[in-house]
Amino acid sequence: MFPRLHFAVCFTAVLGPTLVHTLCPDTADGYKVRLSIKTALGDDAYKWDESEMFLFRATLAFAMRKYNQKPYEVSDVLVCNETQRVSFWFVVTDPENTSELISGKDVERAVRISRNRINNAFLLTDETLEFLNIPPTLAVPAESGTPPWLIVFGVVIGVVGVGIIALLISSFIQKRRKKGVTEGEEEDCEEEACDKGNGVSHPVEEGADGVNRGFVGDIPFTKL
Amino acid sequence: PGEEYVSRRGPGPRPPLILCDPQKESLRMEKESRPSWEQPAQFVLACVSYAVGLGNVWRFPYLCQMHGGGGFLIPYLIMLVLEGVPLFYMELAVGQKMRLGSIGAWSAISPYLGGVGIASVVASIYLCLYYNVINAWSFWYLFHSFQEVLPWAECPLNSNHTGYLDECRKATATQYFFYRETLNITSAISDGGGVHVGQALCLLLAWMVVYLCIIRGIASTGKVVYFTATFPYLVLFVYLIRGLTLHGALNGLKYMFTPKLEQLANPTTWINAATQIFYSLGLGFGSLIAFASYNHHNNNFERQAIAVSLINSSTSIFACIVTFSIYGFKATLNYESCLERVKLLLLNTFSLAEDTINVDNITYWITELNKTHPNQFADLLPKLESCDLEAELDTAVEGTGLAFIVYTEAIKNMPLPQLWSVLYFFMLLLLGLGSMLGNVTAVTTPLRDLRFVTHYLSNETTNGLVCLFCLVLGLGFTTRSGNYWLTMFNDYGATFALLLIVLIEIISVCYIYGLEQFAKDIEDMIGHRPNWYWKIVWAIVSPLIIIMLFIFYIINYIMGGTPTYQAWDKDLGQSVTTPYPPYAQAFIILLLVSSIICIPLSALYTYCNRQRPESTISV
């Protein structure tokens, strides 16, 4: 197997430039890739060089393999028009027939399926590793069973409800207690005791024997 | 004859002698039966809690921005002194003297003026109906802050997960969350839509909290205001520190404090200053009269009136500083994102290496590229944004837009946004709740003054019924078009009526009741007469200012043409100015007139009653 591979690589190395020249960029089946490494990683940014390009081609070959299980090789991914920005075009050739290009739609689907793996290989994200004209697959946010706000709401409304009921009950108890005490002793100036006319008025004190004690203290003063 | 009264138990302890003079007796009865504040501090805090509300946070900074930044403080403070403090003082004096809610108090001033009190109560009911819906929104946002990713930080995905929802992309994520998820707003006021269940639940909670705070009248309110009056200041202080340390905050503060003194020549500036002072202090609703009616007769309300008014205005200025640091942060953020986008555009079009352009040399590069690649640059021109920090700072927002959209946008960019969000909405909640306590007390106090209400219903029941009534009617504001009705109530429900109410109040106190008698009553209460300054302002200056505001309001309304509102267009992702349909315009007129009409109707009723021969003069 190895001699054959070696032969194949040599063959592609000879044929490579010519193939690239004819097939790439093919705007129908090729895609432009743009990397923003410094924006993504800042000081930890790595330099884009030949090895990184090799990794890219290998990752893309991996993505194609995942998609339709054909034995893609690194050599099947052709790259051209590299710029300083770090952007380039690529096309993918069919492993069985190297002059045929894989259609754009298939490439797109393959990239979308493995997008996360491709991004992670380069420590980049959908925004910093752009495949122009391939829409990103956005991660679905985790859906929880009960919306969390309902839980907090339930707790708060429960507490408030308990508070209201507690206050109502305590008022009710207080009133009943007051009512029991008032019957005998408490002054109730609103209704009967207080004479609105001029004169001395005492709060009505009724003892157990029902005698009006209001005038008790006045006995020494009343003269007949 | 004395012997009949000798007790069989022997002489007991001598009962206290109470002289029964009718006036003192009714006073004693009132002292006993009318509840009162446990501490004078509770009264002051209740007034502060009532006056310091959402308007201090979301209206004053807007006015400051519109009318020349720091320069706006000049008309604001002048109006505070000429209009705010004197009217506040007057309302407290009336309440404390009459010891009755607004209806009783104004009936006591003159029997024909009971309608002024009724108009106040109607205006308060309108306010109660919609103000608590804003508290419901605060609850909604507060509960939604307990999530790992704030729901207004990101747009939701569209159905095939390739991008974000259209409506959200065209607007911003915070706007989408407010208009679509919180309100689920329809595109016009005529489009009713059903009740938003989440909002209805939050409104129920809001009313339950209000009920809990007023359940026993001022016995409960007095305790709650210790918290509602003080905690917002703590949050504002924390936010001040946070705001000042944000990147770009100084841009906002510089913008605010550079006064544009030419704005002072604009009459609108003075009108807006007077209006803001007027509404910010909550005059005319009857809440101040209600609160003061529970005071002891000799409470020194003069000092308290000055203190509360000053506290209210200082809070507005304080909130302004916080808001402008947040504005500065947001504007700088937007400006820098704009520059980033321009840089990216240039890099991508001309395929330059990433580190060639940065924010400092972007202008150099624009001119360079224009020279070296003129054709390509010309194609690029329509997409090239112009980034302007001043323009970002100039976008002035007020009202719910400021509180729920601009602030949330700034919060989501802060580190640890959940904490800041919770703090912020809790503060909004307390501010709104504090004002609600005053509003509801303005309705329950006159109710409790009615003897048949006190006789048949307990305190808790009356308060509960008022809350239930407002809750049921308030559910109308939780429908999908509810926000439009809320804005209508906010703009027309109380604004006009209050001007008229306070004008009649001040004129009747000065000229019908008599300034001399009023001064004597004040001397009776606090020990000294109000000095010449107060008398001049009450008799001349304040009524003139209010008449001016009144005329200006009428002119504005007539010249404004068809009243319009901001309808949310979900296809465009922004608000569109739409005229009100005819039935809504009729409803506006109904709102404007309904509270005011009580005044002449009530005067007429009293007059007719008095004409009847068998009527007894009731005092």
Side-chain angles (χ1 to χ4, degrees), chain B residues 58-220:
Chain B
W58 75 30
R59 174 85 177 146
F60 183 77
Y62 168 76
L63 288 177
C64 230
Q65 194 171 18
M66 290 278 289
H67 295 295
F72 184 70
L73 290 179
I74 298 177
Y76 185 72
L77 291 173
I78 291 180
M79 287 300 171
L80 175 68
V81 167
L82 289 182
E83 176 205 7
V85 182
L87 290 174
F88 199 84
Y89 185 160
M90 177 204 64
E91 287 219 355
L92 290 189
V94 169
Q96 189 166 310
K97 165 83 184 120
M98 302 305 172
R99 314 202 81 222
L100 290 169
S102 52
I103 302 181
W106 294 107
S107 301
I109 296 252
S110 156
Y112 295 104
L113 284 179
V116 173
I118 300 178
S120 291
V121 172
V122 172
S124 285
I125 292 179
Y126 288 155
L127 191 67
C128 282
L129 287 181
Y130 76 79
Y131 204 82
N132 227 9
V133 178
I134 302 176
N135 287 338
W137 296 344
S138 297
F139 268 120
W140 171 271
Y141 271 83
L142 179 66
F143 296 148
H144 277 84
S145 306
F146 289 96
Q147 284 179 16
E148 203 186 312
V149 174
L150 293 176
W152 53 84
E154 281 174 354
C155 278
L157 303 178
N158 61 17
S159 42
N160 52 6
H161 300 307
T162 52
Y164 300 114
L165 279 179
D166 258 348
E167 189 183 355
C168 195
R169 262 189 316 110
K170 295 197 187 115
T172 61
T174 45
Q175 281 181 314
Y176 176 81
F177 184 75
F178 182 62
Y179 288 111
R180 188 53 50 214
E181 308 240 353
T182 310
L183 302 175
N184 198 8
I185 205 163
T186 54
S187 50
I189 195 170
S190 38
D191 198 351
V195 168
H196 187 299
V197 177
Q199 288 304 309
L201 287 176
C202 288
L203 185 63
L204 171 67
L205 176 63
W207 275 111
M208 281 175 68
V209 172
V210 170
Y211 183 51
L212 182 66
C213 295
I214 61 157
I215 192 167
R216 287 190 188 155
I218 61 160
S220 339

